[in-house]
Amino acid sequence: MSDGRVTATPPVAEDTRLRLTIIGGYLGSGKTTWLRHQLFEGVFGKAHIIVNEAAETPVDDTLLSAQASGMTMLAGGCACCTGKADLVAVLRRLCDARTSLRAEERTQGQIILETSGLADPAAILDAIRQDGVLVHHIRVTEIIVLVDALNASDQLRTEYLGRAQIEAADRIIVTKADAVPFSILGRVAATAQILNPAAQIMAATKGQLVPLQDFSAALPFDLPIISGNEPVVPTKIDIGDDVDWATFSVWLSALLYARGADLVRVKGVFRTPAGPILIQAVRKSVQPPELLPLEAAINQNKMIFIGRGYIGDDLRRSLDFFAS
Amino acid sequence: MCNACGFPTRPGHWTDAGATTSGDRLRLQLRRVDVLNKILRGYGFSARTPGHGPGFALASFTGRTTLLPDLETVWEEAAQQLGQPLDPLDPRFTRSVTSS
């Protein structure tokens, strides 16, 4: 520093990237209904809505546009595969428009992406990370996945996609809670928790949150193995003091490269020379780590791995090998 | 971006977070080469710093040396030359080690 001052900890730079919330869920799980109610209640503030429909003719846009600050319709291709280029183009345009705003206006807006029922949210996350422009301008704050209480048992039994959506979620909302008895609601929630042990689970009826009773005793649905996909298992690793950031980052990046398809989620806070950072990965895709304020890092150096195809203890042993 | 070599073409790899000062970055790069070699050695590769900037120089058993901008591309290049990714969960790395 030119003025000769010495600061012990450099101030954490504010993350000014545009926030993006991804809303996923199987066909007919109630994404538009839920989103419309949230917009009505002002949960997302001034948000630009992007709605993706796999079908050629859009129907959702008229329902939503009343409450949004802006609205883009992406029809005729699912944004996680065939419509990926369109989604990237729209997001780039939004980022572009934002740069012409005054600095204080920039902090307000956010984007809500309602995916098509056929989309895998993890693939969308990956598309954003792979794009050299978007990765600088967009921060995915949350993946919310809606699960239809009425149809979940059938879908999850047979559809790989339904499970993949749940696995990618930060928050799971069981919809149509009034349409099934409490016992079934509990079973749906318990099944979702097995598929994604790290996610927060809530229930809603027509977009309004309803209390979800304790479902820890509920019997989850049978989840037969679909095309070799065994259920995921969570592993928590306490990182010892002998593991520094260099070791951990090399190890984790190698692990994600080799086992990314099997590692559904990795999440935790790690102590680095620059301060505690939040690490989040969904399959092979790692979000740009966020530097956290020092006091926010109570649970640092604990990592959660959720995945399949490996033994949890092997993760510990392998990390120990690289740390020794 | 470096005018001479074009690196990094992408924004920093996620592993480059966690070091904000140039001293930390250099230390991190050097420490990483040590760790990197623990996994590479078993497959006939070795890594060193390129000496003039970020990234790694990956030398393979064929004698070929490749300059790579970040860890992601190191795994990619190694997997391509080897025909399979380097797996940290390979039994050779998960045999119990006595902590020193």
Side-chain angles (χ1 to χ4, degrees):
Chain A
M1 247 177 241
S2 54
D3 59 1
R5 267 187 306 163
V6 179
T7 42
T9 45
V12 175
E14 199 188 338
D15 197 331
T16 54
R17 288 172 298 169
L18 186 51
R19 288 168 296 153
L20 170 69
T21 304
I22 299 177
I23 297 172
Y26 207 71
L27 298 162
S29 56
K31 295 183 288 294
T32 307
T33 309
W34 184 82
L35 178 57
R36 192 158 48 130
H37 191 83
Q38 307 309 304
L39 291 173
F40 178 73
E41 291 198 325
V43 174
F44 292 112
K46 241 179 98 180
H48 185 102
I49 315 291
I50 302 174
V51 180
N52 177 225
E53 293 245 28
E56 295 288 340
T57 40
V59 286
D60 283 348
D61 55 338
T62 45
L63 296 177
L64 285 169
S65 51
Q67 266 97 23
S69 76
M71 167 94 204
T72 310
M73 194 66 213
L74 284 171
C78 171
C80 83
C81 34
T82 52
K84 198 184 265 180
D86 290 342
L87 175 68
V88 168
V90 167
L91 290 175
R92 280 188 177 197
R93 234 181 1 255
L94 287 172
C95 292
D96 211 25
R98 183 165 169 267
T99 52
S100 61
L101 294 176
R102 279 179 296 147
E104 58 269 28
E105 291 171 339
R106 274 182 221 167
T107 54
Q108 294 169 6
Q110 61 169 319
I111 308 177
I112 315 289
L113 170 64
E114 184 191 327
T115 63
S116 88
L118 299 175
D120 176 0
I124 292 177
L125 203 62
D126 206 40
I128 292 169
R129 193 190 70 109
Q130 296 291 340
D131 188 88
V133 175
L134 294 183
V135 75
H136 284 299
H137 289 277
I138 287 194
R139 175 162 67 105
V140 177
T141 45
E142 196 176 19
I143 299 178
I144 302 171
V145 169
L146 273 53
V147 181
D148 178 347
L150 212 50
N151 299 313
S153 70
D154 285 344
Q155 277 163 12
L156 295 179
R157 223 167 259 159
T158 54
E159 285 286 337
Y160 170 68
L161 177 66
R163 296 187 193 178
Q165 288 172 341
I166 290 179
E167 287 171 355
D170 294 304
R171 180 145 59 112
I172 295 166
I173 297 171
V174 183
T175 57
K176 308 183 191 175
D178 59 338
V180 292
F182 275 124
S183 58
I184 299 289
L185 190 64
R187 292 190 69 186
V188 173
T191 313
Q193 194 79 88
I194 284 198
L195 287 168
N196 186 343
Q200 188 191 2
I201 301 192
M202 300 171 165
T205 300
K206 296 200 171 60
Q208 268 172 310
L209 283 185
V210 294
L212 182 62
Q213 289 171 348
D214 179 30
F215 56 85
S216 50
L219 184 71
F221 298 123
D222 253 358
L223 295 171
I225 291 168
I226 305 172
S227 59
N229 274 307
E230 48 188 304
V232 291
V233 182
T235 309
K236 196 178 102 184
I237 297 191
D238 291 305
I239 312 274
D241 287 337
D242 52 335
V243 182
D244 63 355
W245 172 236
T247 308
F248 186 74
S249 57
V250 170
W251 177 77
L252 182 62
S253 73
L255 187 69
L256 289 174
Y257 189 84
R259 302 282 185 139
D262 284 340
L263 271 166
V264 174
R265 276 189 103 79
V266 179
K267 197 170 180 177
V269 177
F270 201 95
R271 186 176 3 89
T272 74
I277 61 172
L278 174 68
I279 300 169
Q280 286 207 74
V282 180
R283 310 235 173 88
K284 283 191 192 226
S285 159
V286 185
Q287 303 199 34
E290 274 173 64
L291 214 47
L292 301 172
L294 279 173
E295 59 274 16
I298 310 154
N299 279 325
Q300 59 187 11
N301 284 24
K302 284 189 181 58
M303 286 281 156
I304 313 265
F305 295 79
I306 300 172
R308 56 171 73 88
Y310 57 83
I311 303 161
D313 278 343
D314 277 353
L315 289 175
R316 288 192 195 93
R317 277 193 286 265
S318 169
L319 182 58
D320 283 347
F321 176 91
F322 290 103
S324 60
Chain B
M1 185 164 61
C2 167
N3 280 341
C5 63
F7 285 154
T9 50
R10 286 187 291 176
H13 191 243
W14 67 267
T15 50
D16 294 333
T20 41
T21 66
S22 52
D24 280 345
R25 267 197 293 272
L26 187 60
R27 260 190 298 280
L28 187 62
Q29 190 193 19
L30 295 171
R31 269 286 296 139
R32 257 194 205 137
V33 168
D34 292 343
V35 184
L36 196 50
N37 276 319
K38 284 190 187 173
I39 181 166
L40 292 177
R41 211 178 291 132
Y43 293 93
F45 292 99
S46 69
R48 55 181 172 79
T49 61
H52 55 69
F56 306 94
L58 178 74
S60 76
F61 42 87
T62 60
R64 188 202 302 184
T65 296
T66 321
L67 287 181
L68 299 158
D70 56 37
L71 285 170
E72 188 85 14
T73 45
V74 169
W75 309 131
E76 224 170 82
E77 174 69 23
Q80 202 172 25
Q81 292 191 28
L82 204 65
Q84 70 191 62
L86 314 183
D87 186 2
L89 298 186
D90 191 275
R92 70 183 97 178
F93 301 125
T94 56
R95 262 175 267 137
S96 283
V97 284
T98 44
S99 50
S100 49

